[in-house]
Amino acid sequence: MSETLPREQGEVTEAASIRRLTYSDLPSVISIERRSFPTPWSLAMFVLELSKPSGICLAASDGDELLGYLVCSRYDQVRHLMNVAVAPEHRRSGIARRLIGKLVEEGGGKLPFTLEVRVSNHPAIRMYERLGFRSAGVRPRYYQDNGEDALIMWLD
């Protein structure tokens, strides 16, 4: 009988490949989404974002396993990072950082990026700050599930 040893955190990060998100990824995306957010996006929302030619939707995978994803839309002269999630069992392993790094690379430095994050999500805020995002204000009662404020962040 063979035994599979659990990977160290860094091993998953190094093994993960970053690629374009596809419609065939959506069942796994929905699974991660439901485990990640109190008000998850619907399948229709992901389909809509994937269908936008100006958007950038990325996946982090290890073989056939989807580890995380990112959805970014373009609005006029700005790119809006709308959704980023990593499967709970793979968090804090650099997956989100790699996804955002690839997003910025694909964005080509031509447009600034913006995002909203819950003011209570300190780990995400610290990660965004390490990636160069800066706070630019608050959207009061932005999140419908509990009325929490959102911190608005920008990367120029």
Side-chain angles (χ1 to χ4, degrees), residues 18 20 56 58 70 79 97-111 113 155:
I18 307 298
R20 287 292 180 147
I56 300 173
L58 301 173
L70 170 152
R79 292 199 179 274
R97 179 184 45 79
R98 286 195 52 211
L99 283 164
I100 295 168
K102 182 68 171 176
L103 169 67
V104 171
E105 178 186 309
E106 287 202 17
K110 296 178 183 132
L111 299 176
F113 291 89
L155 176 67

Side-chain angles (χ1 to χ4, degrees), residues 23-142:
Y23 292 107
S24 65
D25 292 318
L26 291 181
S28 296
V29 165
I30 294 298
S31 172
I32 294 171
E33 181 78 3
R34 288 182 179 158
R35 292 182 290 149
S36 298
F37 301 110
T39 52
W41 280 20
S42 68
L43 177 62
M45 292 169 80
F46 283 104
V47 169
L48 175 66
E49 292 303 320
L50 276 171
S51 71
K52 293 179 179 177
S54 64
I56 300 173
C57 300
L58 301 173
S61 60
D62 184 5
D64 292 337
E65 181 184 13
L66 186 74
L67 307 174
Y69 56 88
L70 170 152
V71 175
C72 182
S73 287
R74 180 179 173 166
Y75 295 100
D76 193 31
Q77 295 301 306
V78 67
R79 292 199 179 274
H80 187 168
L81 180 53
M82 300 184 55
N83 194 327
V84 138
V86 174
E89 61 274 18
H90 295 294
R91 290 187 186 145
R92 305 191 69 75
S93 63
I95 300 295
R97 179 184 45 79
R98 286 195 52 211
L99 283 164
I100 295 168
K102 182 68 171 176
L103 169 67
V104 171
E105 178 186 309
E106 287 202 17
K110 296 178 183 132
L111 299 176
F113 291 89
T114 188
L115 60 85
E116 289 91 5
V117 59
R118 289 177 187 268
V119 294
S120 65
N121 192 344
H122 301 290
I125 292 167
R126 282 192 301 274
M127 177 192 67
Y128 293 133
E129 287 174 341
R130 282 193 305 271
L131 291 168
F133 283 83
R134 295 294 168 243
S135 174
V138 172
R139 292 196 200 283
R141 303 191 53 76
Y142 181 78

